[in-house]
Every structure is written in C-alpha cells, then in structure tokens.
Amino acid sequence: MTEDEFDAFYASAFPRLVGQLYALTGDHGEAQDVVQEAFVRAWDRRQSFLADEAPEAWIRTVAMRLAVSRWRRARRWLDLVRRNPPADRVPGPGPEHTALVEALRTLPDAQRTAVVLHHLCDLSVEQVASETGSPVGTVKARLSRGRAALAERLAAERDDDGDERSAKEGGRVR
C-alpha cells in the first residue's frame, strides 16, 4: 500500500472504526486512542499491508486487543490499589506554618523574596543577590528587616493566643 493509498484508507476507515470501538469501550477518547495506535502499527507495516486482505478488519482486531489490554492493565491496577490502600493522607499545615505564611504575606515583596530564598530555599546571601539582581549589602539589609518584622508579628500572634487561652482557662471569654 502506498502512502497515498494508506492516507485515503485512514480518512475513510478511522471514523467508522472509532464508532465501532466506542461501542465496545464506552469511552470515545479511549476508542480514538486505540484506533490511532492500531493505525500507527499498520503504518509501520504499510509496505506489506495489502488492501485486498481486509485491512480494516486487521485495524479493528488490533484496536480491540489494545482496548482489552488497557482494560486489563487498569483492572490490575485497581485490584492492587484495593489490596494496598494508600497510606493516610498527609496532615494539613499546622498552626505554626499557617502563622508563618500569613506573617510572610505582610512583608514587602523584596524582603519576603530575600527571606524565602535565603531561609526556605537555603541560598547563600550571594546567591540571593545574584538571583534578585541586588547588591549583597541590600540583601543583608532586607534579610535583617524581614527577620525583625517576622519576629515581631509572630511574637504578637503568640501573645494574642496566650491571652485568649488564659482568658478561657480563667472561665471568662473576652
């Protein structure tokens, strides 16, 4: 089969085969995928692929086998997951993490960037300066001011939580 003959065969047979495989799989996207894969395999054999030997039946058979194979793989995966359920979900962020994120949001962008790159991304002051395009002294100043602002905000939040707890423990709520 020549390339032009194969292209004509593809154009006429693809929609029909997708319809047939859709009826088998119940999933239009899956039907398109397996028919396309079958045509790719036929393309590799197009020189020996004879038009008078029922090429559409060959494509349909290959596509059906691909669909069944995918279904079996999915079924094995589902059985595996059912036998070995995933571990418990990772707990959400704790109150300390949430407080830190909220405190970071209150910092000016330049200070927040310097603090995050240096303390959370573990970059040196020189690397932070290189990434931000700022002089080393400016990065040091931003880190200093950012840490001071964070310490102040986090301490204030701890004090607020402590006052609230002591008020509740004393039997009265403010």
Side-chain angles (χ1 to χ4, degrees), residues 30-148:
E30 180 74 10
Q32 288 177 322
D33 286 349
V34 295
V35 171
Q36 186 68 37
E37 177 64 28
F39 270 103
V40 167
R41 292 179 183 192
W43 175 261
D44 292 340
R45 296 172 178 79
R46 73 184 174 283
Q47 300 302 330
S48 61
F49 200 64
L50 300 175
D52 44 327
E53 290 188 17
E56 193 168 325
W58 188 90
I59 298 284
R60 183 177 29 261
T61 301
V62 170
M64 289 172 61
R65 287 178 180 165
L66 288 167
V68 169
S69 177
R70 287 180 175 196
W71 179 81
R72 285 180 180 151
R73 237 179 288 132
R75 179 86 188 247
R76 280 193 303 268
W77 180 83
L78 185 59
D79 289 343
L80 178 67
V81 169
R82 284 182 180 158
R83 281 193 307 265
N84 303 314
D88 291 337
R89 295 190 182 271
V90 175
E96 299 85 14
H97 178 81
T98 304
L100 177 61
V101 169
E102 290 203 19
L104 280 168
R105 286 182 181 156
T106 64
L107 294 178
D109 288 343
Q111 288 178 13
R112 181 176 52 246
T113 301
V115 168
V116 168
L117 289 175
H118 184 66
H119 292 288
L120 299 179
C121 297
D122 214 19
L123 298 181
S124 68
V125 173
E126 291 77 17
Q127 290 171 320
V128 173
S130 175
E131 281 203 23
T132 60
S134 304
V136 172
T138 302
V139 171
K140 288 179 180 180
R142 288 175 181 164
L143 285 170
S144 176
R145 290 183 189 120
R147 284 189 290 246

